Amino acid sequence: MIKGIKVFTTVLLAFCFTASFSQKRYEQTDKYTEVINLLNNYYTDTVNDEKLTEDAITKVLEDLDPHSSYVASKDVKKTEEPLVANFEGIGITFQILKDTVMVLEVIPSGPSEKVGLLAGDKIVKVNDTSIAGVKIENEGVIKRLRGPKGTKVNVSIMRKSERNLIDFTITRDKIPIFSITATYMAAPGIGYMRLERFSASTVQEFLQGVDKLRSQGMKDLIFDLQGNVGGYLYSAVDLCNQFVRDTQLIVYTKGNHSPYFPYNANNHGIFKEGKIVLMVDEGSASAAEILSGCIQDNDRGLIVGRRTFGKGLVQKPFTLGDGSVVRITTAHYYTPSGRCIQKPYDKGSKEYRDDYKERFESGELFGKDTFKFNDSLRYHTLNGRSVYGGGGVLPDFFVPYDTSGNSPMFNLLVRKGLESKFCLEYVDRNRNMLNHTYVNADSFFNNFQVDDNILAEYFAAAVKDSILKLMPGAQPKTVNDYFTSIQNDTTFNFERDYKKSDKIFKARLKATIGRNLYDTGMWFRVINSTVNNVYAKAMEVITNDKLFDVLKPKPVEKEDPKKSKGKTDKPVKKAKNETSGK
């Protein structure tokens, strides 16, 4: 009987606690509703309930942590497209030039390629409505060209080789958004890939990329995560699985309402052998840091670049009744050694977001030893190397931020959009010549040069657009002529700035022309080979086998039997990076 009373009392107390907790939660919700009703009944102006509620939700989530967020229903599809890895449309990339929509690239096997659209075509009508000369913006073009799979859209295009407009009827379809934007052989035996985000298609793209590179002789891989802001956790786990061996721990998550959950490899990865070098910087975050931490903690590869962003929080999306979404931080993630790389955010979102500015102004990006890891957050990799938590992943080889080619004039021309505009017009004028001279991307990469004639055209375009001004009566023909023809001011000196930025001028013009002629991969191929010092360091590291010796297990020294006399067996303390499963 007494036992029954105890059970009844325990259940009653639990019920009372739950009821009390629920009552308090209800009271807070009820309080908000009461305030909205008071505003609607007594506030002097019209109240927008929807905006007030969305602002309140946004503020609540922002105060919790920097990554919990609210997405209005109208924006959900747009924000998910890059990670879902597809959208429905006609399959082109475009740019608006002189109030005309120019096709930059036709997606292979997409709807537009199937009907015959070509790069360089200018779209002047959509469904018999003119979109040329009406100051249309990108959103207006997207709204007209995108639509549900299976629906049709009529476009009229202008092509240089044709006197009249050409009409096409295009049936919309699912269009892939690729997360791997560059795949090429960097040197004999060395492949290169650049990953922009961790999307639903990332692992499949990676598998295809490895097959392509291996067919060209790849044995080792440089994997570029610079500027990669993350994406899906499961994509990061699946990609890590391609690199690590056996059932090694990849990452684990844990939170107040999320119990410890480890993700282990399944030993089915396709790149478990061969050297790996990761390229990272201050823009590499979240899922990119999961991959970096996994590779580093398991001593699978080496990392070059600068300290990563420091996002170690996991968000889970919850769809609300009206279709809007709240992304709530449900757990922290921890690398195999046990470290959480989340940087502090107790001083508020603004300071958290201004971290890049702090790194720049303190000199950290340039090599100054200003960031100090707390020694209490020191962990060890599989083979005993020291690594740290609490502020991103520290690379094995630091590479400073390179500003050596920047100058006031260079920054001015880029900021004004001249580079993009000039290269688009250059390819449009010279497409036939370029396609005839350079039969493929390799031919362009190896042989195309930005000579003084192209540079002179570039600066002439800057004068035409009133970005640069000529001295009275000046008629420059060559680059050297511009040294004495441009009106300098307090912000720049043409000759001085040109000589400082000569290399980067040529590299970026070639890269942008190559991107317009081929694809985004050509941009990175050119930039990497000319002005990317992180890539240069990655090449230096991956070609030096001795640097990878630190990843090998340390040999166990044989104990001298004479010195071991009298010793008793003691239990071995388990290392931090070992895991025993759930």
Side-chain angles (χ1 to χ4, degrees):
M1 180 66 180
I2 294 175
K3 185 178 179 181
I5 292 172
K6 285 183 177 179
V7 171
F8 174 77
T9 304
T10 302
V11 172
L12 181 62
L13 288 172
F15 174 79
C16 290
F17 174 79
T18 304
S20 174
F21 182 75
S22 300
Q23 178 65 25
K24 287 182 179 178
R25 182 176 292 172
Y26 172 77
E27 287 174 358
Q28 298 309 311
T29 307
D30 199 42
K31 183 190 292 184
Y32 176 77
T33 304
E34 190 175 355
V35 170
I36 292 294
N37 288 335
L38 288 170
L39 290 173
N40 280 321
N41 290 329
Y42 298 105
Y43 190 66
T44 182
D45 295 320
T46 303
V47 174
N48 186 328
D49 288 2
E50 182 179 357
K51 185 177 185 306
L52 281 177
T53 301
E54 290 191 347
D55 288 347
I57 294 172
T58 300
K59 185 67 170 65
V60 166
L61 295 174
E62 185 181 284
D63 286 349
L64 292 175
D65 69 77
H67 298 290
S68 292
S69 61
Y70 170 80
V71 183
S73 55
K74 64 182 178 61
D75 298 323
V76 169
K77 188 175 181 180
K78 186 191 301 182
T79 59
E80 288 181 347
E81 277 177 355
L83 296 181
V84 173
N86 66 70
F87 63 92
E88 295 177 347
I90 68 170
I92 64 168
T93 60
F94 68 88
Q95 185 168 329
I96 298 174
L97 176 67
K98 294 180 179 178
D99 219 9
T100 302
V101 178
M102 178 180 287
V103 177
L104 293 182
E105 181 184 3
V106 180
I107 306 299
S109 302
S112 292
E113 185 189 60
K114 289 176 181 177
V115 300
L117 254 67
L118 301 174
D121 286 347
K122 296 173 182 176
I123 302 176
V124 296
K125 289 183 180 180
V126 177
N127 290 332
D128 294 325
T129 300
S130 177
I131 62 169
V134 295
K135 299 193 180 299
I136 195 168
E137 296 183 349
N138 287 338
E139 285 298 320
V141 179
I142 292 171
K143 184 177 180 180
R144 287 166 172 79
L145 296 182
R146 288 193 184 183
K149 176 182 176 180
T151 59
K152 298 180 186 296
V153 60
N154 300 312
V155 299
S156 299
I157 67 103
M158 181 186 298
R159 185 174 292 169
K160 278 198 169 183
S161 60
E162 302 292 334
R163 179 175 297 179
N164 300 316
L165 295 180
I166 308 174
D167 296 325
F168 294 97
T169 298
I170 307 171
T171 302
R172 298 180 178 101
D173 204 343
K174 283 193 177 295
I175 309 301
I177 302 176
F178 297 109
S179 59
I180 293 179
T181 52
T183 303
Y184 65 87
M185 290 298 292
I190 301 172
Y192 168 89
M193 283 191 198
R194 177 177 174 84
L195 180 65
E196 296 287 344
R197 70 193 72 85
F198 288 78
S199 74
S201 65
T202 292
V203 173
Q204 185 60 38
E205 292 176 49
F206 175 77
L207 299 177
Q208 293 170 353
V210 169
D211 284 346
K212 173 185 173 182
L213 293 174
R214 278 182 171 159
S215 71
Q216 299 174 50
M218 178 190 71
K219 295 180 179 178
D220 305 317
L221 178 65
I222 295 173
F223 203 72
D224 190 351
L225 295 171
Q226 293 178 105
N228 185 313
V229 297
Y232 289 141
L233 171 64
Y234 75 84
S235 292
V237 170
D238 288 348
L239 189 57
C240 290
N241 186 54
Q242 304 306 316
F243 295 112
V244 294
R245 307 176 182 96
D246 303 321
T247 57
Q248 288 178 317
L249 182 63
I250 290 171
V251 68
Y252 67 89
T253 58
K254 188 170 61 173
N256 281 346
H257 303 285
S258 301
Y260 168 80
F261 190 90
Y263 296 84
N264 292 84
N266 62 15
N267 203 29
H268 293 158
I270 67 163
F271 204 86
K272 296 183 291 183
E273 305 297 332
K275 291 177 288 187
I276 300 169
V277 172
L278 299 184
M279 297 167 58
V280 301
D281 63 12
E282 54 285 345
S284 307
S286 192
E289 293 172 296
I290 290 177
L291 176 58
S292 301
C294 174
I295 294 296
Q296 192 174 61
D297 286 7
N298 284 306
D299 288 312
R300 178 63 186 89
L302 296 172
I303 302 177
V304 302
R306 295 180 291 279
R307 181 167 64 93
T308 61
F309 182 84
K311 178 182 181 289
L313 304 176
V314 180
Q315 284 73 49
K316 182 177 180 179
F318 296 88
T319 303
L320 304 181
D322 66 346
S324 58
V325 171
V326 287
R327 292 175 177 155
I328 298 175
T329 297
T330 56
H332 288 74
Y333 71 75
Y334 300 82
T335 67
S337 65
R339 54 180 167 151
C340 179
I341 53 79
Q342 176 63 46
K343 63 187 178 185
Y345 53 85
D346 54 316
K347 294 183 180 178
S349 294
K350 185 180 185 305
E351 186 160 328
Y352 183 85
R353 304 292 181 195
D354 285 345
D355 179 60
Y356 172 80
K357 180 182 177 183
E358 169 61 26
R359 296 190 197 193
F360 187 91
E361 293 178 348
S362 69
E364 180 192 337
L365 297 183
F366 306 99
K368 192 174 180 181
D369 189 18
T370 58
F371 183 80
K372 303 295 183 184
F373 280 102
N374 190 328
D375 202 53
S376 66
L377 298 176
R378 186 199 323 219
Y379 296 82
H380 295 92
T381 68
L382 194 64
N383 295 321
R385 295 188 298 150
S386 291
V387 290
Y388 294 86
V393 175
L394 199 66
D396 301 299
F397 297 91
F398 175 79
V399 182
Y401 186 73
D402 185 13
T403 59
S404 60
N406 284 359
S407 67
M409 183 179 71
F410 167 78
N411 293 332
L412 172 67
L413 298 183
V414 171
R415 191 171 65 249
K416 293 289 187 179
L418 180 69
E419 180 182 272
S420 177
K421 179 184 176 185
F422 171 80
C423 292
L424 191 61
E425 291 179 337
Y426 180 87
V427 171
D428 188 42
R429 289 196 309 271
N430 299 286
R431 189 180 299 275
N432 290 337
M433 178 274 292
L434 291 167
N435 286 330
H436 178 76
T437 305
Y438 308 103
V439 294
N440 54 37
D442 286 342
S443 175
F444 175 88
F445 176 77
N446 292 322
N447 300 299
F448 181 83
Q449 298 293 328
V450 174
D451 56 22
D452 282 355
N453 290 331
I454 294 177
L455 283 170
E457 286 185 51
Y458 183 55
F459 296 129
V463 171
K464 182 180 178 182
D465 286 0
S466 301
I467 302 172
L468 300 178
K469 295 181 180 180
L470 293 177
M471 300 285 285
Q475 294 182 331
K477 301 295 183 185
T478 68
V479 172
N480 287 342
D481 290 344
Y482 279 93
F483 291 169
T484 55
S485 299
I486 293 293
Q487 293 183 26
N488 298 319
D489 60 25
T490 55
T491 61
F492 72 88
N493 176 283
F494 184 92
E495 182 174 2
R496 178 202 65 203
D497 290 359
Y498 171 76
K499 289 180 177 178
K500 184 178 182 184
S501 301
D502 174 45
K503 186 177 180 181
I504 196 169
F505 268 132
K506 292 178 178 177
R508 287 179 63 97
L509 288 175
K510 178 176 178 177
T512 308
I513 289 170
R515 179 178 62 194
N516 291 341
L517 195 59
Y518 299 101
D519 55 30
T520 304
M522 181 57 70
W523 161 269
F524 291 106
R525 191 174 176 185
V526 172
I527 292 298
N528 286 342
S529 66
T530 51
V531 292
N532 187 340
N533 62 340
V534 179
Y535 177 84
K537 186 66 177 180
M539 286 293 293
E540 177 189 324
V541 169
I542 205 166
T543 53
N544 188 339
D545 289 343
K546 288 185 177 181
L547 295 178
F548 287 80
D549 288 346
V550 297
L551 305 181
K552 298 176 182 177
K554 294 179 181 178
V556 179
E557 295 183 8
K558 291 185 178 180
E559 191 172 16
D560 188 341
K562 295 179 181 179
K563 294 182 179 179
S564 63
K565 281 185 177 181
K567 288 187 177 180
T568 58
D569 291 334
K570 293 181 179 180
V572 179
K573 187 178 180 181
K574 194 174 184 181
K576 280 186 178 181
N577 58 321
E578 293 179 358
T579 178
S580 56
K582 290 184 182 180

